[in-house]
Amino acid sequence: MSYETILVEQKGGVTLITLNRPKALNALNSTVLAELIDAFAKFEADKSQGCAVLTGSGDKAFAAGADIKEMVEKPGADFYAEDFFAGWTTQLVKSTRKPWIAAVNGFALGGGCELAMMADFIIASETAKFGQPEIRLAVAPGMGGTQRLTRAIGKAKAMDMCLTGRNMDAEEAERSGLVSRVVPADKLLEEALKAAEQIAGMPPLAAMMNKEMVNIAFETTLDTGLLMERRMFQILTATEDKTEGMTAFVEKRPGVWKGK
Ligand code: HXC
């Protein structure tokens, strides 16, 4: 599949995916979704790739939301019949078991904020702005804004964001727990790629299980989560990489991973 709306490059063990509709502030239309699903499936299947970074082209936006021009004339019944937006979660988030990072430059609004929150964590530039302005269009978030945002920053801030539609700057986003790091705009990609390289250099099964275990915290009770965590830890102890990792520590050398 050749892409019209995204760019994909491999940098060592890291796949860099760039939303590339800068004139529309990287608004997310159906083509972007289909192309992202394809690119993430390729990343997931490629054993040489350990982590991905998703960013936006241009310095103005990560993504200014779902494409309003695609939705404006669409009949309401079609949104339901097509289960519009379902693919973001069912095909993109749920099929990507390897870690990936959103590097947010500029606006991450509506679906753009929701897409960033689908990542395992967000690194933001100092100029990043997050918001769920859907209420101003007489709709509401449809790709996770009420659910992932509330889990990330709590009810008070999520209600404030969804009901007023206001933007949150990078400093507030970091303080609220929405983003893990804020860096100067000209260092954003460098910092995100560096973090991704670090992750890509980890034992791959352990990376996938760490991701899975943190996500389980949002899905279950503490008791069940702790039980699953212990079981997953015990499963990892049966891998060849665990023997290598612990032996390498004892021998004071870096580990060499097999993903087995
Ligand atoms: C389609 C968009 C767009 C979007 C920007 N553009 N956002 N096109 N969908 N979400 C286009 C503009 O139409 C314009 O194209 C070009 O990008 C530049 O945008 P401007 O508005 O001229 O830029 P600026 O004045 O700097 O304002 C930047 C902005 C503003 C504050 C980010 O663009 C804005 O408010 N965008 C919409 C944000 C939003 O409401 N997002 C949520 C979408 S709904 P032209 O061709 O005119 O130059 C959503 C989920 C909906 O995500 C769920 C429904 C079920």
Side-chain angles (χ1 to χ4, degrees), residues 21-28 60-61 63-71 79 84-85 107-114 131-134 136-137 139-143 167:
R21 301 184 70 209
K23 284 192 189 138
L25 303 185
N26 301 320
L28 306 168
K60 210 169 154 190
D67 193 320
I68 298 167
K69 291 169 190 169
E70 189 178 64
M71 295 185 291
F79 284 90
F84 200 74
F85 289 156
F107 292 112
L109 302 182
C113 184
E114 294 170 296
Q132 298 293 160
E134 288 91 338
R136 296 182 188 178
L137 303 169
V139 287
M143 289 159 54
N167 289 347

Side-chain angles (χ1 to χ4, degrees), residues 7-45:
L7 303 169
V8 182
E9 312 162 59
Q10 289 190 352
K11 293 176 174 289
V14 174
T15 302
L16 173 63
I17 303 173
T18 307
L19 301 165
N20 192 31
R21 301 184 70 209
K23 284 192 189 138
L25 303 185
N26 301 320
L28 306 168
N29 62 17
S30 311
T31 309
V32 177
L33 173 59
E35 294 183 355
L36 282 178
I37 289 169
D38 189 77
F40 272 90
K42 289 189 172 122
F43 156 66
E44 186 72 11

Side-chain angles (χ1 to χ4, degrees), residues 10 23-24 28 49 51 55 73 82 99 116 129 132 144 148 151 158 161 168 170 179 191 197-198 203 207 212 222 248:
Q10 289 190 352
K23 284 192 189 138
L28 306 168
Q49 299 299 289
C51 189
T55 194
E73 300 286 355
E82 294 167 16
K129 288 201 167 30
Q132 298 293 160
R148 292 195 182 96
R151 282 164 171 77
M161 303 286 292
M168 184 181 258
V179 313
E191 192 77 18
E197 262 164 47
Q198 226 177 355
E212 198 167 8
L222 181 60

